[in-house]
Amino acid sequence: MKKVLRWSVCALFVAGIFSVAYAQFAKPEQAIEYRQGVMLVMAHHFGRIGAVVQDKVPFDKASVAKDAELVATLATLPWEAFMVPGAEKGKTHLKAEALKDKEGFKAAADATMAETAKLAQVAAAGELDAIKTQFGAVGKSCKDCHEKYRSR
Ligand code: HEC
C-alpha cells in the first residue's frame, strides 16, 4: 500500500514537471525560443528536400522520405507556443495581429500540417515528380502564413 502511494506521488510529480516545461511555458520568452527553434529545424529539413527538388543534390529516396517525415512531425509542434499571452512582444517576428485573428492563424497552421503530411506520404512513395509538386504546395503554405503573420 505504501509502495503504491509512493509511486503515485512520484508519477504526479513527474507529470507536474512536464506540464510546466511543455504545455504552459513558464515565461513568454520560452514560448518564443521554442517556436523559433521548431521553425528553424523544420526549415532545415525542408531545405534538404529543396536541394533535391532543385537538382543540387542527387535524389536519395530514403533520405527524402526521412526528411519529409521529420518536417511533417515538426509541423505539428509550434502552434500552441504562438498563442501564449505576452509572447507577441520581445525578440519575435510574430505580428501582434495573429493573436487577434486566432482562427486565421490556425487555418494557416492547419494548411501547413495538411500539406506536410501529404509530402511525407508522397516522399514515402518515392516518385520525384510528385515530390517536386508537393514540395511547392508546402512552400506556398509556409509563405502564405509568413506574409500575413510574420514581420520582417
Ligand atoms: C501559421 C503560420 C506559419 C506557418 C504555417 C509557418 N510559419 Fe514559419 N514562422 C511563422 C512566424 C509567425 C514566425 C516568427 C516567429 C517568431 O519570431 O516568434 C516564423 C518563423 C520562421 C522562421 C525563422 C525562425 C527563427 O529562427 O526565428 C523560419 C526559418 C520559418 N518560419 C520557416 C517555416 C517553414 C519552412 C514553414 C513551412 C514548412 C513555416 N515556417 C510555416 C509563422 C508560420
Side-chain angles (χ1 to χ4, degrees):
M1 186 59 207
K2 250 189 184 163
K3 211 171 181 181
V4 170
L5 190 66
R6 205 180 302 147
W7 275 113
S8 41
V9 168
C10 185
L12 275 177
F13 182 66
V14 170
I17 289 175
F18 278 104
S19 65
V20 169
Y22 292 106
Q24 293 173 354
F25 299 107
K27 295 180 192 155
E29 303 89 82
Q30 290 177 349
I32 294 172
E33 281 172 8
Y34 177 85
R35 71 204 186 201
Q36 289 177 343
V38 173
M39 285 278 165
L40 199 69
V41 177
M42 179 168 69
H44 179 84
H45 290 281
F46 189 54
R48 286 189 194 181
I49 305 171
V52 174
V53 163
Q54 290 162 12
D55 299 320
K56 287 179 187 158
V57 169
F59 176 44
D60 177 71
K61 200 175 142 174
S63 65
V64 168
K66 191 175 159 222
D67 283 322
E69 192 64 49
L70 282 168
V71 170
T73 303
L74 289 161
T76 64
L77 297 177
W79 317 121
E80 195 191 340
F82 280 99
M83 295 294 128
V84 172
E88 74 284 12
K89 297 181 217 99
K91 287 184 188 163
T92 178
H93 294 274
L94 174 68
K95 285 189 190 169
E97 288 105 284
L99 292 182
K100 289 181 206 130
D101 181 20
K102 286 187 180 172
E103 289 300 307
F105 189 86
K106 189 179 176 298
D110 285 346
T112 286
M113 282 191 275
E115 298 296 2
T116 53
K118 204 170 156 196
L119 180 63
Q121 267 178 14
V122 167
E127 213 261 295
L128 186 56
D129 281 339
I131 292 168
K132 286 185 179 180
T133 305
Q134 189 53 29
F135 180 87
V138 172
K140 186 183 176 301
S141 78
C142 311
K143 194 161 163 268
D144 284 348
C145 184
H146 289 162
E147 279 176 356
K148 263 186 152 168
Y149 302 110
R150 186 173 71 163
S151 62
R152 197 150 281 191

